[in-house]
């Protein structure tokens, strides 16, 4: 087991290097630092001297991959690639283009993100499973049919519409919660109720439809027939046997997103003014702050790889038949 | 010639796709084993309804994909004929009464007056605050009190026109019904009737009113919604042109050759997958924007610049979304490569390329078709989100994303401006819903596990 985890962790390293190379190529080779400086300085007619000053201030004035003028190992270290990309591996994110420490920003912004993402995840999962179980229980009836229709309609609606309509109805028209904003501690609850509800609602269509098919697949198996043949009531069959076994694909399927909850939700946070990592990312994209985007890409891929590892491990935990070799 | 055709990149690719689809359908009609799954799809009522709806959207989108520039009135000074810098499409031509009838700002659906108070100077010199009359909306009315009667008459005329179109089509469907009685033609015909019943009155009303109101700069919202259809269709279909070759080739190759080829391809798609999709797309789009801004000489008109940006967005979405298809196909190819007919082909020393194209690809075609149809709705919805983040289509391109994005501020107004959001929402919902229903039917029809 330990050897497996170790091997998978080592396997993550080439992937992270690959991610790093892709982002490096995108951010520095396709566009030279000169282009970046021109975009950041904004004006159409910036002088070359201004560009040089901006590059020096942000550390982009070094050669990209190989510094011929430096001595010894500094030949590799004193380059944009080493300074900006390799140092991410040591979680040294440096400063954003407006001069603030990215690591410190991430540390303060992760809490609001988690405060929104974890309730959405847990409530959503519970609700999806209950709806799916209800539809599977009443399978081949009108309840099931209209439930599936409702699911398809709900998953055909853009998330953006859920947010705009929800914000208008609940916050503006009925005046139940503040339209947007955030507060620390327990005061955050009144700001979080609406985003959590909308986050759950926008995912319930696709989620419960998917789980319904998992339940139905499970109900076609032999052990269910055996359970019915023993004379067990349909409720016992559903809750004691089918639910437990269907939880295997459900849980192993959601494990991969658990680490990514940390990244926050781009849309929800920016609409509701929650100062989390999602709104940080979206602000960085809109103000074209490449240092922040690079750091978030790195963290995102790290978390995804962690999610893959956790998925593999969860298979062994819930299903003793799976052996990792 | 009073106009010159303009062939945009997305136009030519879209028509190429139409031609390819026709060729595929022709092939299907001649090969019963290819036609069988499609006939199973056609037997579902939901599939016929959604196909009819999608055909309606497709007609709008394709009419909007024939572009040209109108000649300017000839002047004595210019020797060569000059063309207007504005690129128009056949759809623009058909809706020219909507395109030209601009108001100054917001007006509600079917309104005769503006939505906002404005100060007007009366003939006697005094200022008066009132809701001014619209230039186009209700301009034919002698008295505003006649509004109700006029609207009712136009609705009736529109319905009568729709009926005149609908009934002959029913006669055309009759022979089809006799040839393929198991297909629920009635569902398709009823859907067509519903579409016509909406389109007829809408057209009759649009001649004298803004059926869905006007937006902030006074453009007709119905016109904006119809123009947005093309953007959605382009994103949903052209992305597959990039995704399909990448996903199919790499996935099947990985599963067939195994070994280091498999490792390399797996590494490639795990790496691409591990970068958060929005960030990867944002990075690509930001880079692309710098390139477009840096090379203005390559794009002479706004339409061409916006079009290249739309096409590149499709390419980017394709590059970031081929991974799931590749993974599916790799798993299937791993299984297929062990089967007897592939082993037999090996024993007969058939080349790798021939095994891949003749034996493996046709046997994973159902997975490719299912995932293409399934991805369509996701891509259309993704455009909306990306446009909100600011990495979607060019701001000058009309799309549901830009409409919903603008609606954010309109919902915060007092009194609220709801019609832009409502129209974008309804057009988008029907499109995505139809695509989802069709995807379900296609999956049921093509899945070999269901029909052994």
């Amino acid at each position: 087991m330990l050897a497996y985890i170790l091997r998978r962790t080592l396997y993550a390293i080439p992937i992270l290097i690959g991610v790093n190379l892709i982002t490096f190529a995108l951010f520095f080779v396709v566009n030279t630092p000169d282009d970046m400086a021109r975009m950041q300085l904004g004006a159409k007619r910036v002088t070359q001297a201004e560009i040089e000053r901006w590059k020096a201030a942000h550390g982009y004035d070094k050669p990209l991959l190989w510094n011929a003028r430096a001595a010894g190992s500094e030949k590799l270290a004193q380059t944009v690639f080493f300074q900006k990309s390799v140092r991410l591996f040591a979680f040294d994110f440096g400063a954003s283009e407006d001069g603030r420490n990215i690591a410190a920003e991430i540390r303060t912004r992760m809490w609001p993100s988690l405060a929104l993402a974890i309730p959405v995840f847990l409530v959503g999962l519970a609700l999806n499973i209950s709806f799916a179980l209800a539809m599977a229980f009443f399978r081949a009836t009108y309840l099931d049919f209209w439930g599936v229709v409702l699911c398809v309609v709900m998953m055909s609606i853009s998330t953006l519409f859920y947010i705009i309509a929800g914000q208008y109805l609940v916050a503006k028209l009925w005046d139940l919660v503040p339209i947007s904003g955030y507060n620390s501690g327990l005061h955050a609850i009144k700001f979080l109720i609406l985003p959590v509800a909308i986050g759950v609602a926008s995912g319930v269509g696709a989620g419960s439809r998917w789980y319904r098919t998992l339940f139905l697949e499970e109900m076609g198996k032999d052990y269910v027939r055996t359970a019915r043949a023993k004379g067990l009531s349909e409720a016992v069959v559903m809750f004691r046997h089918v639910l437990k076994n269907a939880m295997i694909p459900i849980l192993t399927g959601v494990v991969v997103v658990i680490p990514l909850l940390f990244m926050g939700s781009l849309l929800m946070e920016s609409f509701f003014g929650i100062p989390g990592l999602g709104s940080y990312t979206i602000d960085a994209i809109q103000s074209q702050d490449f240092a922040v985007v690079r750091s978030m890409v790195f963290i995102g891929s790290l978390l995804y790889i962690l999610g893959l590892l956790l998925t593999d491990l969860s298979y062994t935990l819930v299903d003793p038949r799976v052996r990792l070799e | 010639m009073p106009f010159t055709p303009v062939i945009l990149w997305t136009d030519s690719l879209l028509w190429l796709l139409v031609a390819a689809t026709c060729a595929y359908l022709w092939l299907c009609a001649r090969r019963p084993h290819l036609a069988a799954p499609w006939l199973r799809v056609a037997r579902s009522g939901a599939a016929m309804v959604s196909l009819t709806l999608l055909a309606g959207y497709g007609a709008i989108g394709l009419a909007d994909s024939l572009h040209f520039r109108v000649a300017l009135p000839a002047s004595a000074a210019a020797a060569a004929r000059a063309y207007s810098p504005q690129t128009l499409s056949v759809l623009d031509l058909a809706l020219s009464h909507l395109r030209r009838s601009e108001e100054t700002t917001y007006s509600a659906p079917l309104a005769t007056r503006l939505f906002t108070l404005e100060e007007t100077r009366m003939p006697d010199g005094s200022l008066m605050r009132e809701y001014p009359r619209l230039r186009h909306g209700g301009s034919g009315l002698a008295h505003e009190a006649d509004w109700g009667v006029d609207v009712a008459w136009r609705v009736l005329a529109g319905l009568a026109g729709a009926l005149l179109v609908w009934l002959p089509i029913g006669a055309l469907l009759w022979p089809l019904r006799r040839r393929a009685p198991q297909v629920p033609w009635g569902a398709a015909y009823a859907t067509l009737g519903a579409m016509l019943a909406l389109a007829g009155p809408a057209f009759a009303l649009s001649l004298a009113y803004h059926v869905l109101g006007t937006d902030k700069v006074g453009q007709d919202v119905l016109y904006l919604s119809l123009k947005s259809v093309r953007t959605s269709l382009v994103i949903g279909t052209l992305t597959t042109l990039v995704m399909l070759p990448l996903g199919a080739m790499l996935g099947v190759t990985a599963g067939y050759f195994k070994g280091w080829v498999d490792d390399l391809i797996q590494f490639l798609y795990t790496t691409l997958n591990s970068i958060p999709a929005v960030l990867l797309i944002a990075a690509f789009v930001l880079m692309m924007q710098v390139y477009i801004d840096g090379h203005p000489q390559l794009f002479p008109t706004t339409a061409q610049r916006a079009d290249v940006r739309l096409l590149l967005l499709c390419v980017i979405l394709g590059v970031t979304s081929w991974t799931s298809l590749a993974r599916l196909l790799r798993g299937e190819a791993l299984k297929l490569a062990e089967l007897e007919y592939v082993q037999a082909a090996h024993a007969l020393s058939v080349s790798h390329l021939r095994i891949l194209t003749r034996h493996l690809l046709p046997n994973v075609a159902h997975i490719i078709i299912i995932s293409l149809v399934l991805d369509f709705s996701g891509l259309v919805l993704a455009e909306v989100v990306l446009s909100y983040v600011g990495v979607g289509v060019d701001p000058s391109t009309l799309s549901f994303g830009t409409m919903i994005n603008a609606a954010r501020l309109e919902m915060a107004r007092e009194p609220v401006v709801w019609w832009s959001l409502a129209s974008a929402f309804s057009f988008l919902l029907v499109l995505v819903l139809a695509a989802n229903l069709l995807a379900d039917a296609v999956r049921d029809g093509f899945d070999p596990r269901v029909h052994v």
Side-chain angles (χ1 to χ4, degrees), chain B residues 136-384:
Chain B
H136 173 74
S139 52
L141 292 177
H143 304 285
E144 274 180 82
D146 300 339
W147 179 84
V149 180
D150 189 49
V151 168
W153 268 116
R154 282 176 188 276
V155 170
L156 283 179
L159 284 175
L163 205 64
L164 281 181
V165 179
W166 191 50
L167 291 177
I169 294 179
L172 285 178
L173 274 178
W174 196 250
L176 280 173
R177 215 172 147 161
R178 304 223 4 220
R179 271 190 64 185
Q182 70 274 47
V183 175
W185 293 107
Y189 190 50
T191 315
L192 184 71
M195 280 161 73
L196 285 173
L198 283 175
F203 182 76
L205 285 168
S206 75
L207 293 172
Y209 298 95
H210 296 288
V211 183
L212 298 173
T214 55
D215 75 346
K216 187 169 183 182
V217 291
Q219 278 182 301
D220 189 280
V221 172
L222 178 64
Y223 174 71
L224 297 180
S225 311
L226 291 175
K227 289 288 280 182
S228 304
V229 168
R230 176 177 185 268
T231 313
S232 288
L233 292 181
V234 166
I235 300 238
T237 53
L238 290 193
T239 304
T240 57
L241 276 186
V242 181
M243 193 179 87
L244 181 69
L246 273 177
M249 234 166 52
L250 293 177
V252 174
T253 328
Y256 175 70
F257 286 110
K258 307 191 185 78
W260 66 269
V261 181
D262 188 21
D263 287 339
L264 187 72
I265 292 171
Q266 274 199 67
F267 169 74
L268 199 64
Y269 70 62
T270 318
T271 309
L272 269 180
N273 244 358
S274 70
I275 303 177
V278 176
L279 285 176
L280 187 61
I281 293 167
F284 270 121
V285 170
L286 290 180
M287 298 306 118
M288 169 183 88
Q289 202 156 355
V290 173
Y291 181 80
I292 290 179
D293 290 347
H295 301 79
Q297 72 279 5
L298 292 178
F299 314 106
T301 62
T302 355
Q304 267 159 319
R305 202 186 59 222
D307 181 68
V308 168
R309 189 163 164 180
L310 182 61
L311 181 65
L312 285 177
L313 186 66
C314 294
V315 173
I316 292 163
L317 279 170
V319 168
T320 53
S321 59
W322 60 271
T323 50
S324 56
L325 178 65
R327 192 165 34 198
L328 275 177
L329 291 182
R330 174 183 166 271
E332 193 66 17
L334 274 176
K335 269 187 271 171
L336 290 179
E338 299 303 320
L339 291 184
E340 281 91 348
Y341 62 88
V342 178
Q343 302 294 333
H346 273 304
L348 293 169
S349 71
V350 178
S351 74
H352 287 313
L353 187 68
R354 207 169 158 75
I355 292 181
L356 281 176
T357 51
R358 298 286 298 184
H359 297 287
L360 289 183
L361 270 183
N363 282 300
V364 296
H366 66 282
I367 299 184
I368 297 178
I369 290 172
I370 292 174
S371 68
L372 289 191
V373 182
L374 271 179
D375 282 344
F376 178 85
S377 53
L379 289 168
V380 171
L381 288 178
E383 185 272 326
V384 177

Side-chain angles (χ1 to χ4, degrees), chain A residues 14-15 18-19 26 31 39 156-158 160-161 168 172 209 266-267 270-271 281 285-286 288 290 301 304, chain B residues 267 270-271 273-274 278-279 282 286-287 290 384 388-389 391 408 411 413-414 416 425 429 433 436 440:
Chain A
I15 291 178
V19 169
L26 270 176
N31 276 317
M39 206 148 69
S156 303
I157 297 174
S158 168
L160 225 51
F161 182 79
Y168 174 74
K172 197 180 162 204
R209 199 171 76 123
L266 291 179
L267 292 181
S270 83
F271 263 95
T281 314
I285 292 173
Q286 277 164 356
Q288 308 190 328
F290 294 119
S301 36
Y304 176 79
Chain B
F267 169 74
T270 318
T271 309
N273 244 358
S274 70
V278 176
L279 285 176
L286 290 180
M287 298 306 118
V290 173
V384 177
Y388 168 72
V389 179
V391 294
R408 255 183 96 196
M411 295 301 279
R413 284 175 67 100
E414 199 65 51
V416 67
F425 166 73
L429 176 68
L433 194 58
N436 275 334
D440 277 2

Side-chain angles (χ1 to χ4, degrees), chain B residues 100-135:
Chain B
R100 296 221 187 90
S101 64
E102 285 191 358
E103 309 294 343
T104 47
T105 183
Y106 293 115
S107 68
L110 298 178
T112 55
R113 288 175 175 270
L114 268 189
F115 190 63
T116 47
L117 278 170
E118 270 178 22
E119 285 189 344
T120 42
R121 193 166 286 279
M122 300 306 283
D124 59 357
S126 64
L127 277 174
M128 201 177 88
R129 283 171 66 79
E130 58 155 11
Y131 296 100
R133 275 295 293 267
L134 295 179
R135 271 181 240 148

Side-chain angles (χ1 to χ4, degrees), chain B residues 398-420:
Chain B
L398 298 172
S399 81
F400 292 123
T402 44
M403 277 178 82
I404 293 184
N405 207 351
R408 255 183 96 196
L409 300 173
E410 292 169 2
M411 295 301 279
R413 284 175 67 100
E414 199 65 51
V416 67
V417 175
W418 50 269
W419 45 88
S420 290

